[in-house]
Each structure stands twice: as structure tokens, then as C-alpha cells.
Amino acid sequence: QKQTKQTIVFLNFSYLFYHKMMKKASSYKKRNASKAGTWYSNDDEKLNRQINGWLENVDRNESIQGTRAIIGPHAGYAYSGQSAAYAYKYINPENINTVIVLGPMHCKYLKNKCYLSPASSCETPFGDIPINKGLNQELFDKGSGKFLWMNREIDEEEHSLEMHFPYIFKIMEGHDYNMVHVMIGDLSDKAQKEFGRIFADYLDDPNYFFIVSSDFCHWGKRFGFQHYDEEHDEIYQSIEALDKQGIEAIETQDPSEFSRYLKSTRNTICGRMAIGVLLHTIQVAETEFDLEFVYYTQSNKCKQFNKDSSVSYASGILSVKNNDNDNDNQEEEEENNNNN
């Protein structure tokens, strides 16, 4: 009995110590742009020309309005800069106060938890993006242990979030806004659902905007993934078909459908957990949404098993459902039926 009491006291002390340490994040003033000069240009004028050029290349579908979230890539801009522009072209900055960026971890493994940054701002070649520290703390408190505070080393080593910062700065330029960036750990379906509940209120609020960072299939020996469907003549065609199946699953907005796809194909979509969180967030949110992918490409058209490799990039748009269009379509369908 005495030993049991001692164990309880120890566990209580351990919990209090852990909770205290987690609440006291080791903050730092600025997250440095560690990938500038390698993954993208650190010359602000050159970078500005590049991003403006990519955005100008996009022929936007004007029927898509009320964007609340995008899914976009995080590779070096030489590979994915144009693909990212297809997503960012659909952002209207007017009502956005806070941008929430969700991205995967490549530099550290974390099971069923996510990292928040204690930094006060994030550096880009154009200037610094302020962090919404109040929202960070709010998320931490809501999570009840599901969020941890990352340190500077982890924050600056990870590229999946930083690759979106220059685009965010450009799109939001001239507007008063801030940002929160979240590193998504290796989450079970249950954990994804729990984080979806946490984020749902913000997705319902037009003053918040979500950016989900993900590349699609990583194909080749160096990635340990060489799926090939013999129904297709070329490897790159097989890769595209595999990715398009995943895109269709995501567009259903059903996290179970996407989870089944991942389990059956093992496709190497690196931001799959972040996408899963978004899908669960959609399920909990009160707003009705449309989710549509507007662009797809690959870094290389693979033809040889022994030599080739590629990474796929896709751009998805989550927008508020336009019920007027549904009514128009229904009226048109009824009119056609009457004519028949």
C-alpha cells in the first residue's frame, strides 16, 4: 500500500512537471528562412519576379469562389513553384486575419501529436510574417497534451512549412494578418479526427485560412516505392493514375475513403496526415464545402525502373459550397426531364 501511494505521488509529480514544462515554451524571436538560397531564391527581386510570373501563368476558374483552404506542394521552387501558384491564385486576402499552415514532418518522428512554434515571426526574403501567439496558446490549451512546442532546430530544419511562407507573404502583402504553422505528426485515424475537432471552428470562420502542405507520389528506388500498373504503357502514366485515384478520394471529403485508399495503395503522399486532418475538420465544420483539384504535374516523366525517379505535385481548392449553382443545375435537369 505504501509503495502504491509513492507511485501515485511520483506520477502526479511527473504529470505536473511535464505540463509545466510544456506550457513554458522556449520562445525565440524569429524563425530564420533556412531554405532561402537553396530551395528558393534569397534575392527578393528575383523571387518576386518568379512568383509573379507563376501566378500570371494561371488561368483561374472564376466559378470557384469563397476559398477557405488550399492544398499545395512544398518542393524546391524550381520543381513546384508553378504548381503552388495554381493554388495561391485562388486566395482572396480581403477577409483573412490569420493563416494556419499544416505540414508534415520530415526531420523528426512524433506519434499522435503535433508541434506548434514558439517563434514570434517567420523570416522570408520579402520580410517577416508575424505569428499569432495568442492562437498558438489557444490551440495548445484546447489540445490538452496533443500539441507540443518545437525548438528552433526542428522549426528551421523542416521545409514543408517554410516553402509556403514566401507565397503567403506575396498573396497577403498590404494586408494586416498573422500566421500559425503546425507540424503534423504521424497520426492515427482517431488522432486525425481529434485534431479535426480542434480546427473546425476556425475553418467555419472566414477570418481564418488553411494551407495544407503536401507533395504526392514519391516514385523511385531512392524513395523505396516503385508501384507500376501494367495497364499503362509508361511508368509516369501509372504514377499519374495512382495519384488521380488519391485525388478523387480526397475530393469526396470523406476521410475514411482517403484512409482506405492509402492503406490499399501505400502511395507515398508525404502530407497525407495533414490532408487527413483537413478532411476530418471538414466533417466537423458546419459550413458545406466543395473540394476540387485544379492542377497536377510530375517533376520527371519516369520511363526506366533502374534510373528514374519523380515527385508529383497537385493543387487543391476548398471553397464554400455554392448552393446557387446546385439550384441552377437542378432546375436545368428538371427542365430537360420535362422536355423529354
Side-chain angles (χ1 to χ4, degrees):
Q1 188 176 0
K2 184 178 179 181
Q3 187 176 3
T4 302
K5 287 181 179 179
Q6 288 175 338
T7 303
I8 292 172
V9 169
F10 174 77
L11 290 173
N12 286 338
F13 175 78
S14 299
Y15 173 79
L16 291 171
F17 177 76
Y18 171 82
H19 189 67
K20 185 177 180 182
M21 290 302 292
M22 288 300 98
K23 279 201 116 174
K24 288 188 174 181
S26 178
S27 62
Y28 37 96
K29 188 172 181 181
K30 182 189 296 186
R31 181 204 182 277
N32 294 313
S34 59
K35 310 307 176 189
T38 51
W39 292 62
Y40 58 92
S41 178
N42 58 0
D43 182 321
D44 62 333
E45 293 183 358
K46 179 180 178 181
L47 186 59
N48 186 58
R49 288 194 302 272
Q50 288 177 330
I51 292 178
N52 283 339
W54 289 321
L55 289 169
E56 288 170 5
N57 290 337
V58 178
D59 185 14
R60 174 178 168 157
N61 181 351
E62 294 300 331
S63 68
I64 300 176
Q65 299 291 334
T67 308
R68 292 285 181 84
I70 61 171
I71 298 172
H74 53 240
Y77 280 8
Y79 298 100
S80 71
Q82 182 63 75
S83 182
Y86 272 88
Y88 279 90
K89 188 78 170 186
Y90 286 84
I91 298 178
N92 180 353
E94 291 302 322
N95 296 321
I96 300 172
N97 295 333
T98 299
V99 179
I100 300 175
V101 191
L102 311 179
M105 296 184 198
H106 296 83
C107 62
K108 188 171 178 67
Y109 182 81
L110 188 64
K111 184 67 176 176
N112 288 333
K113 295 184 185 296
C114 295
Y115 271 130
L116 296 168
S117 172
S120 298
S121 65
C122 288
E123 179 187 36
T124 80
F126 303 126
D128 298 341
I129 301 175
I131 296 299
N132 188 334
K133 301 198 79 171
L135 178 57
N136 259 344
Q137 189 62 52
E138 186 176 302
L139 290 171
F140 182 87
D141 293 339
K142 276 187 175 184
S144 300
K146 294 181 179 66
F147 289 102
L148 303 178
W149 297 107
M150 66 180 96
N151 58 35
R152 179 187 287 275
E153 181 182 0
I154 294 171
D155 202 350
E156 294 182 357
E157 185 177 351
E158 180 56 55
H159 68 273
S160 73
L161 299 163
E162 180 181 333
M163 299 308 295
H164 288 272
F165 297 165
Y167 258 107
I168 292 169
F169 191 101
K170 280 295 299 176
I171 294 297
M172 296 301 299
E173 196 168 20
H175 295 81
D176 186 15
Y177 75 102
N178 49 47
M179 182 181 73
V180 162
H181 58 290
V182 185
M183 271 191 219
I184 306 295
D186 182 12
L187 306 181
S188 65
D189 290 346
K190 180 183 176 183
Q192 290 175 37
K193 188 174 184 178
E194 290 169 348
F195 280 103
R197 290 195 189 102
I198 293 171
F199 287 120
D201 287 343
Y202 308 106
L203 189 61
D204 276 324
D205 189 336
N207 294 139
Y208 293 88
F209 191 89
F210 282 79
I211 293 172
V212 176
S213 178
S214 182
D215 296 334
F216 276 70
C217 182
H218 297 61
W219 193 94
K221 275 189 175 181
R222 66 193 183 104
F223 298 119
F225 186 78
Q226 291 182 290
H227 166 91
Y228 175 62
D229 184 345
E230 293 181 354
E231 289 187 5
H232 301 277
D233 294 333
E234 300 289 355
I235 295 170
Y236 70 86
Q237 294 171 332
S238 173
I239 295 169
E240 180 172 356
L242 179 68
D243 280 331
K244 291 294 178 67
Q245 290 174 28
I247 285 170
E248 288 173 5
I250 295 167
E251 288 179 333
T252 68
Q253 304 180 41
D254 182 353
S256 298
E257 186 71 22
F258 184 50
S259 180
R260 283 192 292 270
Y261 162 80
L262 291 171
K263 287 172 183 175
S264 65
T265 66
R266 302 293 178 184
N267 194 5
T268 48
I269 302 173
C270 57
R272 57 193 176 276
M273 303 297 176
I275 294 172
V277 169
L278 176 66
L279 295 178
H280 280 287
T281 304
I282 293 169
Q283 294 294 309
V284 180
E286 295 180 1
T287 311
E288 291 187 56
F289 295 103
D290 288 318
L291 179 52
E292 179 181 349
F293 278 78
V294 296
Y295 187 74
Y296 174 84
T297 191
Q298 297 168 4
S299 63
N300 179 42
K301 290 190 178 298
C302 294
K303 295 182 178 181
Q304 301 180 65
F305 271 91
N306 294 329
K307 295 182 179 180
D308 291 346
S309 65
S310 73
V311 179
S312 306
Y313 313 117
S315 303
I317 313 298
L318 182 76
S319 58
V320 176
K321 191 174 186 64
N322 189 340
N323 291 318
D324 290 340
N325 286 344
D326 290 346
N327 293 334
D328 291 342
N329 292 336
Q330 186 176 355
E331 289 173 6
E332 184 178 345
E333 185 177 339
E334 289 174 355
E335 185 178 343
N336 290 336
N337 291 336
N338 291 333
N339 292 334
N340 293 334

